[in-house]
Amino acid sequence: MDRNLYIVIFAAVLPAFLLVLYIWLKDKYQREPLRYILRGVAYGVISAGLAYWLESLIGALGLIGEPRFFLGAIWNALIGAAIPEEFVKLLMLWLLLRNNPYFDERFDGIVYACCVGMGFAGTENILYLLGNIDNWETVAVQRAIFAVPGHFMFAVAMGYFYSMLYFGDMSWRERSRIFWVPVTLHAMYDGLLFMASMGTALTVILVLTFYVFCYLLFRGGKRRIEEQLQRDKQDPNQVAHYKS
């Protein structure tokens, strides 16, 4: 393999690796075993392959196409990216946690969801950089600042609500939040980018709106992380309320 290709792959996976390390070290009370962290990342890699297959199927069925209006861009973001990608990530998270004896703290849901999300994001990043090999440095920086942290925050939301249900902090009537909250955040993220890329008179406003949305997304994710850490601090000897 060409030495430069190793550098590209390293640049693609580095942001995801750093975020996995961050969330693992953030687990202050009972850190998850490294083998389960690696398993979560591997499940995320699998989810990227499944998402690619689903998105190809959606495209082949003609459910998405070149958007002419903003509604088309939002539709593409929702049907062509947010729903299939968050669905497979949730499926992998469920498979990872259903018989996991170490899932015994509320914060663990966020940790494992982020491992899956970063396995997905790292794989996607490799494909993006290899697909833009002539200017991979620019793409790598842009995605390290926005796309990979975006997937991280979608995962924080998914893991947060997964634990809320698992430990009995959320009613079963509200269980759909595990899916629709990360889907909504993902669709808004992609939708703003798709609309901005259409080159209308509103492009500048849409780009600024995207930056504001990212700020709110990251601030909301940080709040969810701190909330679960605080709950674990108040209940260090907790036992999961619901066992699948």
Side-chain angles (χ1 to χ4, degrees):
M1 185 183 293
D2 185 83
R3 182 169 177 268
N4 290 334
L5 196 55
Y6 282 115
I7 296 174
V8 172
I9 294 174
F10 175 78
V13 301
L14 180 61
F17 168 79
L18 292 176
L19 287 171
V20 168
L21 182 62
Y22 164 78
I23 203 68
W24 183 60
L25 294 176
K26 194 78 173 175
D27 192 0
K28 300 177 181 178
Y29 306 113
Q30 190 172 330
R31 201 158 285 160
E32 303 310 292
L34 184 58
R35 68 182 184 277
Y36 274 89
I37 296 296
L38 296 176
R39 186 179 298 180
V41 173
Y43 278 28
V45 173
I46 295 171
S47 74
L50 293 175
Y52 178 81
W53 179 82
L54 278 178
E55 290 166 353
S56 298
L57 179 61
I58 290 170
L61 293 173
L63 297 178
I64 57 174
E66 189 68 28
R68 296 183 179 180
F69 305 101
F70 284 167
L71 284 178
I74 296 172
W75 173 264
N76 282 358
L78 184 63
I79 303 300
I83 289 179
E85 292 180 11
E86 298 307 323
F87 170 75
V88 294
K89 285 190 277 186
L90 179 57
L91 174 62
M92 290 296 108
L93 180 62
W94 175 75
L95 290 173
L96 180 64
L97 293 182
R98 65 193 181 106
N99 293 314
N100 186 338
Y102 299 99
F103 181 29
D104 53 6
E105 295 177 317
R106 289 169 173 83
F107 189 66
D108 294 348
I110 292 179
V111 172
Y112 287 117
C114 288
C115 289
V116 173
M118 291 301 92
F120 180 99
T123 305
E124 183 184 65
N125 227 22
I126 291 173
L127 297 176
Y128 266 94
L129 266 61
L130 293 179
N132 296 273
I133 198 67
D134 291 336
N135 63 329
W136 69 266
E137 297 96 335
T138 301
V139 176
V141 171
Q142 291 174 343
R143 292 187 59 81
I145 295 173
F146 294 107
V148 177
H151 278 289
F152 183 82
M153 291 304 169
F154 308 151
V156 168
M158 182 179 290
Y160 175 87
F161 287 110
Y162 199 106
S163 286
M164 291 289 283
L165 178 65
Y166 189 85
F167 287 93
D169 299 323
M170 184 173 72
S171 72
W172 276 91
R173 290 182 180 180
E174 301 174 300
R175 64 186 181 274
S176 62
R177 290 188 186 183
I178 298 171
F179 182 61
W180 71 255
V181 171
V183 164
T184 300
L185 295 174
H186 195 154
M188 291 176 66
Y189 179 100
D190 282 353
L192 287 168
L193 284 179
F194 291 169
M195 287 188 288
S197 67
M198 294 174 69
T200 68
L202 297 176
T203 296
V204 174
I205 294 176
L206 289 167
V207 170
L208 292 175
T209 303
F210 172 76
Y211 291 152
V212 172
F213 171 76
C214 286
Y215 169 75
L216 295 175
L217 176 67
F218 299 153
R219 192 173 76 169
K222 182 180 178 181
R223 186 185 70 249
R224 289 189 174 106
I225 288 172
E226 295 303 326
E227 282 180 5
Q228 294 298 56
L229 286 172
Q230 187 63 29
R231 288 188 177 100
D232 287 339
K233 181 179 180 181
Q234 295 171 351
D235 187 14
N237 298 312
Q238 63 190 286
V239 177
H241 176 78
Y242 170 75
K243 296 292 186 181
S244 57

